[in-house]
Amino acid sequence: MRCGNFVMNQILEAYKPMWSLNHVIALMGWDFETHMPSKGTEERGVADSQLHLLHKDLLLGSDFVGLVESAKKLEGLNDLEKGIVRVLNREITKQLKIPKELTEAESLERIRGNMTWRMAREKSDFMMYKPHLEKMIEIKKQIAEKIGYEKHPYDALLDSFEEELTVDELDNVFGDLTPHLQKIIKKLVDTGSPFLKESKLAKSNYDIQRVDELNHDILTLLQYDMKRFRMDVSTHPFTETMSINDVRITTRYEGIDFKKSISSTIHEAGHALYDLQCDQSLSMTPLQGGSSLALHESQSRFWENIVGRSLPFVQLIAPLIRKQVTFANRATDDELFLYFNNINADYIRVDADEVTYNLHIALRYEIEKKIFGDELSVSEIPEFWNDRMEQLLGVRPNKDSQGVLQDTHWSSGLFGYFPTYTLGNLVSALIVSKMRKDLKDYEVEIRRGNFKPIREWLRLKVHRYGSVYAPKALLNKTLNEGYNPDYFVTYIETKYLAS
Ligand code: MG
């Protein structure tokens, strides 16, 4: 891309080495999870941190900061140029505010804490992990103070994952969403909903090679261009973007409950499509890729849940399933639909269905807010977790591995990250509501396997902009809405209670 402005062109030229470092860091990250021999870990760790330091030196170099500073004073910039200045300025400001000692302390604690957390989870022993959690929280509290905030210290951490996100806003979201979801679950239980009955399809072992073929068949149906995209296998599925023309996903094969593998594939493919459909002119600029974590998650959730678990989609892929999964060869479309949409209020977030999932996030949000508001000490967390889980989902974990120790996020210093999952779910429902108004044959096209209109709608309304606009500005501009829970509640009620 070239800008009409001399300073902006200089910025883009100076940014290229940073983009290249990001490119190679992403490639190394992908390799680490998929193909690297296990003994390569230590040297890879050194290479990775050295490249990050190099990136930071370039970003905070006086020449580059000077260019961005002078661009901030320019008038008459177009939206694209304003986007570049906004994104770079955010990154520079954040890096400048956090002293080197704190960054180092955090990355050291991340490695130690994460290792201890793994062992503690295995032994289900919170006390073993507790000193590390305390240390990490202490570091994050200091970081929040350095970054600064208007009202709540947690705001500083939220904003680093989702631009301009605040406690006030999330209090509104969860204050509205949580009671609605609890009411829906109660109704499902009271009426003995068929969605609550566990399918026998979840309990048989499948042939991994054949489900791998099935996943590839589904990607073909969804029209992924294998010249710009690929899929590998890892324990925890992820998407890694090297460039607009090289986006990679992974999926998982546990050998049992095949819907998990299919859902992971479609979820990650949804993330990938966001980056694949970013406008090519944004390639190698700071604007390449999605606007935020929540918007990225809205894309993965849209494909995984709203399309992937819909009746027309299940009907579309049913023949492929019957072909590759031998024990499902007589399952009817309706049985498969209920299997994909089984609801189960349980302890573990990553296994949660689309109705109960956001209650898991509500719990984590409450705890994080209390931690950073100095209302909850680390010793009190496990008990608080279990009490609230019982109130929200009606189940009480009887060991820490089912409760407070289940997620990796805190040990990696990711405080403020969880709420973006719920915001992503809300936006996915907002999207389908708006999309249905434009695409009258939305369901018919899915049943036919014609995903072009849906992909094109997403490209025009979301994907092509990359991060030209901050998430809220983009939602406002193209969907005329914010993080409004109404659409999600209506979507869930219509799907699970109307039938
Ligand atoms: Mg995701």
Side-chain angles (χ1 to χ4, degrees):
M1 148 181 190
R2 283 197 68 77
C3 295
N5 185 288
F6 179 67
V7 176
M8 294 309 299
N9 278 326
Q10 276 188 308
I11 288 179
L12 287 178
E13 264 317 292
Y15 182 73
K16 279 225 177 93
M18 285 177 247
W19 176 86
S20 305
L21 286 171
N22 286 340
H23 179 84
V24 77
I25 288 168
L27 184 56
M28 292 194 329
W30 170 83
D31 174 69
F32 179 83
E33 298 287 340
T34 53
H35 294 299
M36 195 186 84
S38 59
K39 287 205 169 168
T41 313
E42 203 170 319
E43 288 93 340
R44 179 57 58 83
V46 174
D48 187 71
S49 69
Q50 288 297 315
L51 291 179
H52 273 105
L53 282 176
L54 209 52
H55 188 280
K56 191 171 174 172
D57 285 349
L58 290 173
L59 181 78
L60 300 184
S62 54
D63 292 356
F64 193 70
V65 173
L67 280 171
V68 175
E69 281 304 316
S70 43
K72 276 160 73 178
K73 293 178 203 123
L74 292 173
E75 279 173 29
L77 294 182
N78 61 31
D79 283 8
L80 239 124
E81 294 165 333
K82 281 184 202 155
I84 293 169
V85 177
R86 187 191 96 255
V87 168
L88 291 174
N89 187 51
R90 245 175 85 78
E91 213 177 320
I92 290 169
T93 314
K94 208 195 316 167
Q95 300 262 17
L96 283 177
K97 279 183 177 170
I98 305 171
K100 210 173 151 208
E101 304 82 65
L102 269 180
T103 314
E104 280 171 6
E106 190 190 348
S107 59
L108 202 64
E109 190 45 44
R110 207 182 293 143
I111 295 164
R112 289 181 186 154
N114 191 265
M115 261 170 45
T116 315
W117 165 76
R118 278 169 203 268
M119 289 188 285
R121 185 173 71 158
E122 203 135 294
K123 296 189 173 139
S124 197
D125 180 1
F126 179 74
M127 292 312 282
M128 186 178 172
Y129 170 55
K130 187 177 160 249
H132 289 281
L133 184 56
E134 278 168 341
K135 183 90 209 272
M136 185 55 98
I137 288 171
E138 193 40 49
I139 294 170
K140 295 309 266 195
K141 281 184 175 172
Q142 289 180 39
I143 288 178
E145 291 303 321
K146 294 289 179 193
I147 294 175
Y149 49 86
E150 268 177 38
K151 278 175 132 177
H152 199 292
Y154 188 38
D155 287 346
L157 303 178
L158 289 171
D159 176 84
S160 63
F161 291 110
E162 195 68 21
E163 207 166 337
E164 297 170 349
L165 183 63
T166 62
V167 163
D168 281 350
E169 210 167 2
L170 286 173
D171 279 349
N172 282 333
V173 165
F174 286 109
D176 186 352
L177 182 64
T178 305
H180 270 115
L181 291 175
Q182 287 184 290
K183 232 180 270 168
I184 293 170
I185 294 169
K186 187 172 180 312
K187 256 189 209 164
L188 289 166
V189 174
D190 289 350
T191 56
S193 164
F195 289 107
L196 296 174
K197 191 169 173 271
E198 198 188 355
S199 163
K200 58 181 191 301
L201 295 170
K203 294 171 194 157
S204 297
N205 292 302
Y206 62 78
D207 180 329
I208 290 178
Q209 216 171 334
R210 293 183 73 174
V211 171
D212 189 53
E213 271 176 49
L214 173 57
N215 278 329
H216 279 95
D217 288 346
I218 291 170
L219 291 174
T220 307
L221 260 181
L222 293 171
Q223 291 146 342
Y224 279 81
D225 175 0
M226 300 311 271
K227 292 195 182 88
R228 302 171 62 210
F229 170 88
R230 61 175 285 136
M231 179 168 74
D232 294 85
V233 180
S234 68
T235 320
H236 305 286
F238 64 91
T239 300
E240 194 71 84
T241 296
M242 266 48 79
S243 72
I244 285 177
N245 293 302
D246 180 358
V247 184
R248 308 180 191 188
I249 68 166
T250 64
T251 191
R252 56 173 169 161
Y253 296 108
E254 284 141 350
I256 192 158
D257 203 358
F258 64 92
K259 72 169 182 291
K260 288 186 181 173
S261 177
I262 294 177
S263 298
S264 293
T265 303
I266 301 175
H267 179 99
E268 299 306 330
H271 277 302
L273 189 66
Y274 194 168
D275 291 353
L276 286 164
Q277 296 209 111
C278 176
D279 197 279
Q280 291 277 346
S281 69
L282 304 182
S283 174
M284 296 185 278
T285 75
L287 303 179
Q288 171 194 304
S291 170
S292 75
L293 284 173
L295 288 198
H296 237 293
E297 195 66 7
S298 77
Q299 298 308 298
S300 56
R301 287 296 195 168
F302 172 80
W303 286 100
E304 177 196 354
N305 288 335
I306 294 186
V307 175
R309 292 182 205 271
S310 69
L311 183 60
F313 188 80
V314 173
Q315 288 168 334
L316 173 71
I317 64 168
L320 299 171
I321 292 174
R322 291 188 198 107
K323 191 176 100 192
Q324 301 291 15
V325 184
T326 43
F327 58 85
N329 65 354
R330 291 192 180 184
T332 64
D333 290 358
D334 286 346
E335 278 164 1
L336 287 169
F337 176 67
L338 285 174
Y339 165 57
F340 272 95
N341 291 288
N342 179 241
I343 295 166
N344 184 20
D346 212 344
Y347 319 108
I348 305 296
R349 175 186 59 87
V350 293
D351 291 333
D353 54 84
E354 57 178 343
V355 181
T356 59
Y357 188 88
N358 295 297
L359 294 174
H360 290 266
I361 303 301
L363 168 68
R364 286 151 180 80
Y365 167 65
E366 268 180 53
I367 293 178
E368 292 189 351
K369 190 176 86 172
K370 282 182 186 295
I371 290 173
F372 290 96
D374 287 326
E375 294 171 61
L376 190 69
S377 73
V378 172
S379 330
E380 293 166 330
I381 298 175
E383 191 69 13
F384 184 86
W385 182 296
N386 295 347
D387 289 347
R388 276 306 275 155
M389 168 130 285
E390 200 170 357
Q391 287 159 8
L392 288 167
L393 284 150
V395 287
R396 188 180 184 87
N398 44 41
K399 46 184 185 176
D400 292 336
S401 58
Q402 292 174 339
V404 64
L405 287 176
Q406 65 179 277
D407 300 306
T408 174
H409 298 60
W410 292 349
S411 71
S412 304
L414 301 175
F415 288 92
Y417 192 110
F418 284 120
T420 67
Y421 293 135
T422 287
L423 298 183
N425 287 324
L426 300 188
V427 174
S428 71
L430 163 66
I431 283 176
V432 74
S433 154
K434 302 275 175 184
M435 186 185 281
R436 277 170 174 278
K437 293 202 174 98
D438 293 339
L439 308 177
K440 299 284 179 234
D441 288 333
Y442 165 81
E443 279 184 340
V444 180
E445 298 293 12
I446 292 178
R447 182 67 188 84
R448 275 192 204 136
N450 178 21
F451 296 98
K452 254 200 194 138
I454 296 179
R455 292 166 65 108
E456 188 56 10
W457 193 96
L458 293 172
R459 188 184 75 78
L460 289 172
K461 299 279 185 185
V462 184
H463 299 167
R464 64 172 160 152
Y465 295 107
S467 40
V468 171
Y469 302 105
K472 282 187 211 169
L474 179 64
L475 287 178
N476 230 315
K477 178 184 164 73
T478 67
L479 301 176
N480 204 16
E481 256 298 355
Y483 302 124
N484 178 352
D486 294 353
Y487 299 89
F488 184 78
V489 171
T490 306
Y491 160 73
I492 293 288
E493 283 177 342
T494 312
K495 179 167 174 182
Y496 293 95
L497 293 180
S499 50

